Amino acid sequence: MTAGIKRRIDRKVMQKEKGVGRFKTIFLFLGAAAVFIGIICYDLGSIRKSLWEQTVLGVREVISQGSHAFSIYVEKDMQILSRIVEHVSEESPDDVETIMGMIESFGDSGVGFAVIDLEQGVLYAAEAEGAVSLSQEEVARYEKYGEMGFREPYTDICTGREMIGGYQRFVFADGTEGIAEVRRLVSGVAEEFILSFYDGAGVSYIVNSRGDVLVCASCREADRKVLNITDMISLSDSSQADLFRESLAQGKDGVMRLSLNGEKHILAFTPVQWTEGWYVVAAVPDAVITAHTSKVLKSSETVAIILTGILLVAILFIYTERQSRKKILEKESDVQYREELFDILVNNTNEVFLVFSTKDYAVEYVSNNIERVLGITQEEVKQNIMILDEPAIGDGEDVSTTAI
């Protein structure tokens, strides 16, 4: 009996220890959830930075593609111009009909060509429908041209419109010096090659190596002529402005973060081939890029919240399931304890206990002392209850049986 009491005391101690262990388990689960949420928050910060960098690289890639596309147009225009020079150089400058025929045959709605006779000071163009006399100032300007190049925007003397294009020096068949031009409308170039970003919040320009804006979709002609992108850089970023000017002068491409007109911008720039130091430059407000990345992150944050909720539900389910299992085990342990206690009592008495099912007409339980008291095993009684009707061979003590 003393052993049974000791076991009950041990059982109470174990239950107390289980309570402490349960608290530790809850604490560990909550700690794991906190760590998981912290990792998600840290990852979201890393994702935000990565998205910002990817967005900036995307702007740079778009600018690079735009520059490449413009370079291809310039290259094709210069190739056509070389073909015109090849044919015109075989003609006399006085053969106006032939020169005009070639100019008109190579031109189209988007691009035009002109031929200049430097000796006579005459320009031939389809828009002029013949020869146009040049002033001494205009002739002097043409005479300063090199062998080949691409002109910055200028006013066409025939139409008065802003044009942009390349030139190539040549010699007529009689030795007279001349220049052939390919011309495009600045507005047409702006419409086709100037890009905007994020609903017009970010814009691009074509600038020269000094930062002068040559082509701008949103600029009026008068504004464009005095607009210099380096002048927009705030004085607080003077070192960055110097670095930007140096990059333009050296033909480099890159991305910089600096202030334009007092607002932080991302400046991406890349050179244009076949030109003399021209660049395609994109200026996108940093706040716009940040807002774009935040918008993308909202979906990620929603997913993170859902995952956190799933984790907490899973932790709660696991905890509840473990608690239920523990309760079942405790009940089983309690039953086992009671059975052991009952066996102790039975083994110290001459009464034999049986549980008999009248439904199945079978013995469900036989106390362990039956063999000591009656000399019959539990298995024999379970197999045949009628064996109890036979005289028991005991040790002379009074024997009684109790059936339930």
Side-chain angles (χ1 to χ4, degrees), residues 1-18 330 333-342 344-345:
M1 190 69 68
T2 304
I5 295 173
K6 183 177 182 298
R7 189 176 299 175
R8 177 167 292 192
I9 293 173
D10 292 341
R11 191 160 161 267
K12 293 291 184 182
V13 173
M14 289 176 62
Q15 288 178 347
K16 185 176 181 181
E17 291 176 348
K18 287 179 181 177
E330 287 175 358
S333 176
D334 187 61
V335 171
Q336 184 179 1
Y337 168 75
R338 292 178 183 275
E339 288 180 352
E340 290 177 356
L341 183 61
F342 182 73
I344 291 172
L345 295 173

Side-chain angles (χ1 to χ4, degrees), residues 20-309:
V20 175
R22 187 178 299 117
F23 175 77
K24 289 182 178 179
T25 302
I26 294 173
F27 180 78
L28 288 174
F29 279 147
L30 292 177
V35 170
F36 179 76
I37 294 172
I39 291 173
I40 289 178
C41 292
Y42 176 79
D43 286 344
L44 285 176
S46 300
I47 292 172
R48 184 184 299 276
K49 181 179 179 181
S50 178
L51 280 175
W52 186 89
E53 292 174 349
Q54 289 298 322
T55 303
V56 171
L57 289 176
V59 172
R60 181 177 181 178
E61 181 63 24
V62 171
I63 286 298
S64 178
Q65 292 175 0
S67 173
H68 179 67
F70 184 53
S71 298
I72 290 176
Y73 267 79
V74 172
E75 181 181 7
K76 288 183 177 180
D77 285 351
M78 297 303 290
Q79 288 174 348
I80 296 174
L81 189 63
S82 295
R83 292 171 58 188
I84 292 177
V85 168
E86 182 180 349
H87 290 292
V88 174
S89 61
E90 298 176 353
E91 306 295 333
S92 168
D94 297 327
D95 193 349
V96 178
E97 184 176 351
T98 302
I99 293 174
M100 289 297 298
M102 284 187 288
I103 291 173
E104 292 173 355
S105 64
F106 281 100
D108 58 35
S109 57
V111 61
F113 297 91
V115 173
I116 298 95
D117 180 349
L118 292 177
E119 185 174 312
Q120 298 182 23
V122 177
L123 179 145
Y124 302 98
E127 297 84 357
E129 298 181 354
V132 176
S133 298
L134 300 175
S135 65
Q136 292 182 351
E137 181 181 352
E138 291 167 341
V139 172
R141 187 183 70 242
Y142 278 115
E143 288 178 342
K144 292 179 181 179
Y145 286 2
E147 291 299 318
M148 181 182 294
F150 213 79
R151 293 183 63 181
E152 294 185 0
Y154 62 94
T155 301
D156 181 28
I157 63 174
C158 300
T159 62
R161 304 183 68 179
E162 284 288 296
M163 309 295 285
I164 193 171
Y167 64 87
Q168 182 174 341
R169 188 180 288 269
F170 70 97
V171 178
F172 285 100
D174 63 356
T176 301
E177 291 189 357
I179 290 178
E181 283 186 328
V182 55
R183 297 112 61 84
R184 288 181 178 272
L185 286 171
V186 172
S187 58
V189 173
E191 182 179 348
E192 191 161 359
F193 297 105
I194 297 302
L195 308 172
S196 63
F197 303 86
Y198 306 110
D199 298 327
V203 296
S204 64
Y205 311 90
I206 295 178
V207 304
N208 59 22
S209 59
R210 300 181 303 277
D212 298 324
V213 175
L214 306 179
V215 182
C216 172
S218 59
C219 303
R220 295 179 301 176
E221 179 184 334
D223 295 334
R224 179 188 55 74
K225 289 181 178 180
V226 296
L227 189 61
N228 186 294
I229 197 166
T230 59
D231 294 338
M232 304 181 199
I233 302 175
S234 302
L235 294 176
S236 58
D237 283 342
S238 58
S239 60
Q240 293 289 339
D242 293 339
L243 182 60
F244 177 61
R245 293 188 186 95
E246 182 180 342
S247 298
L248 295 183
Q250 296 178 358
K252 297 180 179 179
D253 64 344
V255 176
M256 299 181 68
R257 187 171 183 264
L258 38 73
S259 295
L260 295 182
N261 296 327
E263 182 181 2
K264 283 292 182 182
H265 279 69
I266 299 301
L267 220 61
F269 50 94
T270 186
V272 179
Q273 303 300 320
W274 291 87
T275 62
E276 298 177 3
W278 288 17
Y279 277 82
V280 175
V281 179
V284 184
D286 191 25
V288 173
I289 295 179
T290 301
H292 173 73
T293 56
S294 298
K295 184 178 180 180
V296 174
L297 270 179
K298 282 185 178 179
S299 58
S300 300
E301 290 173 350
T302 302
V303 172
I305 292 172
I306 293 173
L307 289 176
T308 303

